Amino acid sequence: MKLVDVLHMNGGMGDISYANNSLVQRKAIILTKPIIEQAMSDLYNNLLPETLCIADLGCSSGANTFLVVSELIKTVEKERRKHGFHSSDFHFLFNDLPSNDFNTIFQSLGEFKHNLRKQTGEKFAPCFFSGVPGSFYTRLFPSNSLHFIHSSYSLHWLSQVPDLIEKNKGNVYMSSTSPPSVIKAYYKQYEKDFTNFLKYRSEELMKGGKMVLTFLGRESEDPSSKDGGYIWELLSMALNEFVVEGLIEEEKVDSFNIPNYTSSPAEVKYIVEKEGSFTINRLETTRVHWNYASNNNDIINGGYNLSRCMRAVAEPLLISQFGTKLMDLVFQKYEKIITDCMAKEETEFINVTVSLTKKK
């Protein structure tokens, strides 16, 4: 089965949907709000376009998609009123893989517009919305057609599982026990994908266009360090317990690898400068505690919330390898492992955010 067919968040509005289990992603957007606002303010004041064309790449579904949209509109309206400029129309283009739940996005448009009117008044500029299915590792938009690109919690996903020459035995991601060839293969795939991403976006953005990208990353320069992929190590532990119990074949775990790469700021800087199309304006890291949705002393609820978040993100991939029968049990065990870990260790996600301007 092709990765594009199974790499999507759980759709709909149910208990295990991404829409209802994406608070950590929402927290990351809120933390990067000042960077997004600065980039959009600079772009708007420099270009003053009649229609602002804005793409959100890896939009998924749910309230987080519209959180970014509303912040961008409010930023432009603030600058417009401050300087007495004429209104610009907005054209928002929502991109994700074809298997994404676009229906939930467009079913929520009416409620979003109603809430936006209450926040900004009736006179905000006309907004137009389009869906653009496809991989952001390919061309998506006409040449020189975009002013601004935003992407949050998407670019750590790779276009494919790295081509491994050795088995990543007992692991589903890079870890301290992974062979060096596995680490090398993961980086090689990441470098290829991120380079292609920058190349295609440079063709689609107008001169002076901007991007703000946020993704899961790490501060350590060791790709197998715990600050990058520890959450996946704990999933490996859960799956390996089922191997011991005879419920999952060992070979199925050994041949399953998460198509993800948590990069360091230094790696991002190196690839951006090597590709050459963009200037880096800001490159920063932020942290989100694993217990993001609860009181920090409430470990049990914290473990429950995080396991649900991970289920919303990873379940389609796991089903493609292990089937549906054991999913409830897998995530119950995963929740217990996460809860135990949170009780003993300081656990945080590292976010890397980069703000870029197209050179020419």
Side-chain angles (χ1 to χ4, degrees):
M1 186 176 292
K2 292 182 178 180
L3 187 59
V4 294
D5 296 327
V6 296
L7 183 54
H8 60 86
M9 310 298 104
N10 278 342
M13 298 297 292
D15 288 343
I16 59 172
S17 68
Y18 179 84
N20 286 323
N21 294 280
S22 52
L23 286 177
V24 65
Q25 293 88 341
R26 186 177 187 85
K27 179 70 172 176
I29 292 171
I30 292 169
L31 286 172
T32 57
K33 180 181 171 183
I35 300 175
I36 295 170
E37 286 182 342
Q38 181 183 351
M40 177 52 78
S41 296
D42 292 346
L43 180 141
Y44 178 68
N45 289 326
N46 287 333
L47 300 181
L48 295 177
E50 290 187 11
T51 299
L52 267 166
C53 294
I54 300 167
D56 188 17
L57 307 186
C59 63
S60 193
S61 60
N64 291 346
T65 301
F66 294 109
L67 174 62
V68 175
V69 171
S70 63
E71 291 303 326
L72 291 172
I73 291 173
K74 285 187 280 188
T75 297
V76 171
E77 284 296 295
K78 179 181 176 182
E79 292 299 316
R80 183 187 69 79
R81 291 169 182 168
K82 177 180 174 182
H83 300 289
F85 298 144
H86 291 294
S87 294
S88 295
D89 292 350
F90 294 92
H91 185 191
F92 290 97
L93 301 120
F94 297 131
N95 157 258
D96 214 310
L97 293 173
S99 52
N100 182 61
D101 181 12
F102 286 98
N103 285 340
T104 295
I105 294 174
F106 292 110
Q107 287 166 1
S108 304
L109 271 178
E111 181 183 359
F112 163 72
K113 289 180 179 179
H114 174 73
N115 292 335
L116 189 62
R117 284 191 184 94
K118 290 199 297 186
Q119 294 175 37
T120 63
E122 291 289 336
K123 294 185 178 180
F124 72 89
C127 297
F128 305 93
F129 301 90
S130 303
V132 183
S135 169
F136 50 50
Y137 295 123
T138 64
R139 274 292 299 270
L140 292 168
F141 309 102
S143 299
N144 304 307
S145 63
L146 301 177
H147 295 99
F148 191 88
I149 292 172
H150 171 265
S151 182
S152 186
Y153 267 48
S154 297
L155 270 167
H156 44 258
W157 293 107
L158 301 171
S159 67
Q160 64 178 58
V161 175
D163 186 13
L164 306 183
I165 59 174
E166 292 180 78
K167 283 187 177 179
N168 194 16
K169 189 169 178 59
N171 301 303
V172 301
Y173 188 62
M174 297 179 292
S175 80
S176 58
T177 61
S178 297
S181 67
V182 169
I183 308 296
K184 183 178 180 181
Y186 262 92
Y187 177 76
K188 182 179 179 181
Q189 186 63 50
Y190 163 70
E191 183 178 27
K192 176 184 176 182
D193 283 345
F194 192 37
T195 299
N196 283 337
F197 176 89
L198 294 169
K199 174 181 178 292
Y200 293 131
R201 302 298 81 81
S202 72
E203 295 171 5
E204 296 162 351
L205 277 167
M206 299 179 185
K207 181 181 178 181
K210 293 183 181 292
M211 290 198 295
V212 177
L213 315 172
T214 297
F215 31 85
L216 282 170
R218 64 181 197 278
E219 292 178 335
S220 168
E221 289 309 313
D222 177 5
S224 64
S225 65
K226 289 173 69 171
D227 72 343
Y230 195 33
I231 194 69
W232 297 121
E233 279 193 47
L234 303 188
L235 178 60
S236 299
M237 290 172 59
L239 293 171
N240 284 318
E241 286 189 24
F242 282 104
V243 171
V244 172
E245 295 167 13
L247 296 175
I248 291 178
E249 297 173 19
E250 184 176 12
E251 170 60 27
K252 285 212 163 187
V253 175
D254 291 345
S255 61
F256 179 70
N257 292 282
I258 298 292
N260 195 294
Y261 189 87
T262 47
S263 55
S264 71
E267 288 173 333
V268 173
K269 183 174 185 288
Y270 169 76
I271 294 174
V272 169
E273 291 179 346
K274 183 179 178 183
E275 195 278 332
S277 298
F278 293 90
T279 299
I280 296 176
N281 304 312
R282 297 174 70 171
L283 178 58
E284 302 178 9
T285 60
T286 54
R287 293 169 175 262
V288 177
H289 198 280
W290 283 13
N291 211 0
Y292 57 91
S294 309
N295 182 297
N296 279 348
N297 295 320
D298 188 359
I299 301 298
I300 293 176
N301 272 340
Y304 171 80
N305 289 331
L306 184 54
S307 67
R308 298 265 287 212
C309 173
M310 295 304 295
R311 182 169 188 170
V313 168
E315 185 171 39
L317 283 171
L318 288 165
I319 287 174
S320 72
Q321 179 75 354
F322 304 105
T324 60
K325 186 177 179 181
L326 291 175
M327 285 302 106
D328 286 344
L329 291 175
V330 165
F331 283 98
Q332 287 169 16
K333 192 179 290 287
Y334 194 25
E335 177 187 339
K336 182 179 184 304
I337 292 171
I338 289 172
T339 303
D340 290 346
C341 177
M342 289 169 63
K344 298 171 186 175
E345 303 179 50
E346 186 69 21
T347 49
E348 294 177 306
F349 291 115
I350 308 297
N351 306 318
V352 176
T353 300
V354 60
S355 177
L356 304 160
T357 302
K358 181 181 172 180
K359 290 180 179 178
K360 58 183 179 178

